[in-house]
Amino acid sequence: MSFCLFLEKHTSNMSLLTHVLACLFGMGSWVSINGLWVELPLIVPQIPEGWYLPSYLSIIIQMANVGPLFVTLMHRFRPGALNETAVIYVIICLGTVATFLLGFFWKETVVVAGAPHSVALLVLTFFLATVDCTSSVTFLPFTMRLKPQYLTTYYIGEGVSGLLPALVALVQGVGVVHCINSTQSSNHTLNTSSSALTFDLQAQYQPANFSAEVFFFFLTAMMLVCLAAFLLLNYHPSVAREPPSGRYTNGVKEKSHKNRKWAEQKPMMDPYKAANPRPRSSFGAGTYSWMQVVYIFVILAWVNALTNVVLPSVQSYSCMPYGNNAYHLSATMAAVSNPLACFIAMFLPIRSLLLMGALTVMGSGIGAYIMAMAVLSPCPLLVNETSGGVIIVLAWILFVLSLSYVKVMIGVILRDEGHSALVWCGAVVQLGSLVGAATMFPVVSVYSYFSSGDPCNTKCP
């Protein structure tokens, strides 16, 4: 009964329609690139790049940061010159068209320098990456036009952008491996025809339940849903928006400062704090000192580097030694943990900088364990024990859960600081991801520091 009263208290004056639309809008932020990643086991065997494709994708995604860089510089040096709503329409439409074209041309090759290459796949991936990277500095600031409580709903949608493709790929049967017996003949003498038979296990990927083309058309439908949600957020009369005094036009706040939400909410969070405190810095509303602002952005960059690039790049190395089921379960449950953390933050929007640091340390410690297991692959700790698989799955769940909550905490804090703070939030997210990619790419792809082993034949003591 008490939970029902708690839920009713926190959902009062909230529009269910706005929650749904904010979630669907956030879902379109990274659904295309996330979908491409989970489809790799089905794509790789049919293209000339093979398993070098993930390396190419990492480079392409970082090159696509030219989009958020342009938007951030425009907000900094030409505030108001960039029509934020028009930019969002353009990138959603571009992402929809690029995803649709992938369904037709992802297998097409062109001879470049005497060798076939998947030029269409790589070019279309660049457009998708530009769309998704640019969404970090456009989608999030757009939520300033909605009431504060819908920011966490947007983050839930952003989490669903990774969860939904993973679930569809799971139904599709992507990456399911079966070990089959294979017989090989080996000669023991040079002058006789005597030979011995050796028995070995061979990993064989099972055919998918439906094709990659169908999967890409599904992603196209998701982008169309995102476009429809954005249209309704702009024009539907029932959408719960900020009052006119809190509205932004092309990223610039209107002159009126009456009824500022942050000034009303701060006493609710801290009843001993003055309603109109003296600004402590020129950043945003001046709520935080410059040292605290730097602290928040350093944590934001660190958390996004870990969750977006560093740990996902070694997920297969950390999980596959424990079996194919452990790998798929960890990937799926980690994808579930992201929106779950956002859902928790909807009812517990804590702004404590101390808690933020504690959760970051905890999540980083769990990430260090995951990284250690990846380094020890193909023979990590407890590799032959059921408990080893259970621990690695729980580690991935807690890692994503804790650091996803930190990201939402920072989003809530910066939302109170204004539109410009959210633009910088998106820019720092991409910067953290860029640094993570620059660190992990040479380690994983160039120097091949990690070893995955054979899922069917690796023997560990």
Side-chain angles (χ1 to χ4, degrees), residues 61-63 65 305 309 428-439:
I61 291 172
Q62 300 316 313
M63 290 172 57
N65 277 305
V309 181
V428 172
V429 165
Q430 292 306 118
L431 177 63
S433 300
L434 175 61
V435 172
T439 303

Side-chain angles (χ1 to χ4, degrees), residues 90-347:
V90 169
I91 64 175
I92 294 178
C93 291
L94 179 61
T96 303
V97 172
T99 309
F100 181 72
L101 292 177
L102 268 180
F104 293 100
F105 299 110
W106 70 272
K107 286 192 295 186
E108 299 299 322
T109 59
V110 176
V111 177
V112 178
H117 290 281
S118 304
V119 175
L121 173 62
L122 297 178
V123 170
L124 290 172
T125 299
F126 174 77
F127 285 119
L128 289 179
T130 302
V131 168
D132 291 358
C133 290
T134 308
S135 72
S136 297
V137 292
T138 52
F139 284 24
L140 193 58
F142 173 80
T143 60
M144 286 296 299
R145 305 188 184 190
L146 305 176
K147 292 183 177 180
Q149 56 263 38
Y150 300 108
L151 177 63
T152 50
T153 310
Y154 168 84
Y155 274 113
I156 291 175
E158 201 172 73
V160 170
S161 73
L163 172 62
L164 198 56
L167 293 178
V168 174
L170 200 63
V171 173
Q172 187 183 13
V174 170
V176 177
V177 177
H178 288 285
C179 298
I180 61 173
N181 286 322
S182 63
T183 305
Q184 297 179 345
S185 177
S186 58
N187 292 329
H188 289 275
T189 63
L190 296 175
N191 299 323
T192 65
S193 60
S194 63
S195 62
L197 294 177
T198 60
F199 296 92
D200 205 358
L201 292 176
Q202 182 178 4
Q204 185 180 69
Y205 285 94
Q206 297 302 297
N209 296 322
F210 52 87
S211 67
E213 288 84 354
V214 174
F215 185 82
F216 286 131
F217 293 145
F218 161 76
L219 294 182
T220 303
M222 293 299 95
M223 291 301 297
L224 288 173
V225 169
C226 172
L227 178 60
F230 183 60
L231 282 167
L232 292 174
L233 284 173
N234 276 293
Y235 299 111
H236 198 285
S238 298
V239 170
R241 302 183 182 89
E242 282 276 35
S245 60
R247 294 296 299 271
Y248 285 77
T249 304
N250 297 338
V252 179
K253 192 170 184 181
E254 296 176 2
K255 296 296 183 181
S256 177
H257 293 275
K258 296 179 181 179
N259 301 321
R260 292 188 64 173
K261 291 294 179 182
W262 70 272
E264 294 178 353
Q265 290 178 354
K266 291 298 179 181
M268 294 175 62
M269 302 304 300
D270 185 357
Y272 302 102
K273 190 172 183 178
N276 293 293
R278 183 178 179 180
R280 300 170 64 186
S281 71
S282 58
F283 178 82
T287 310
Y288 299 95
S289 67
W290 279 114
M291 187 65 70
Q292 290 173 321
V293 171
V294 171
Y295 167 80
I296 291 170
F297 279 127
V298 167
I299 287 183
L300 181 64
W302 171 256
V303 166
N304 279 278
L306 291 183
T307 57
N308 295 349
V309 181
V310 175
L311 270 299
S313 66
V314 299
Q315 184 169 28
S316 60
Y317 300 106
S318 67
C319 298
M320 283 301 293
Y322 298 102
N324 194 57
N325 290 335
Y327 171 68
H328 282 284
L329 188 60
S330 66
T332 304
M333 294 308 297
V336 172
S337 300
N338 191 324
L340 177 61
C342 302
F343 183 78
I344 294 172
M346 179 182 293
F347 299 100

Side-chain angles (χ1 to χ4, degrees), residues 442-451:
V443 174
V444 175
S445 302
V446 177
Y447 298 107
S448 301
Y449 186 77
F450 297 91
S451 174

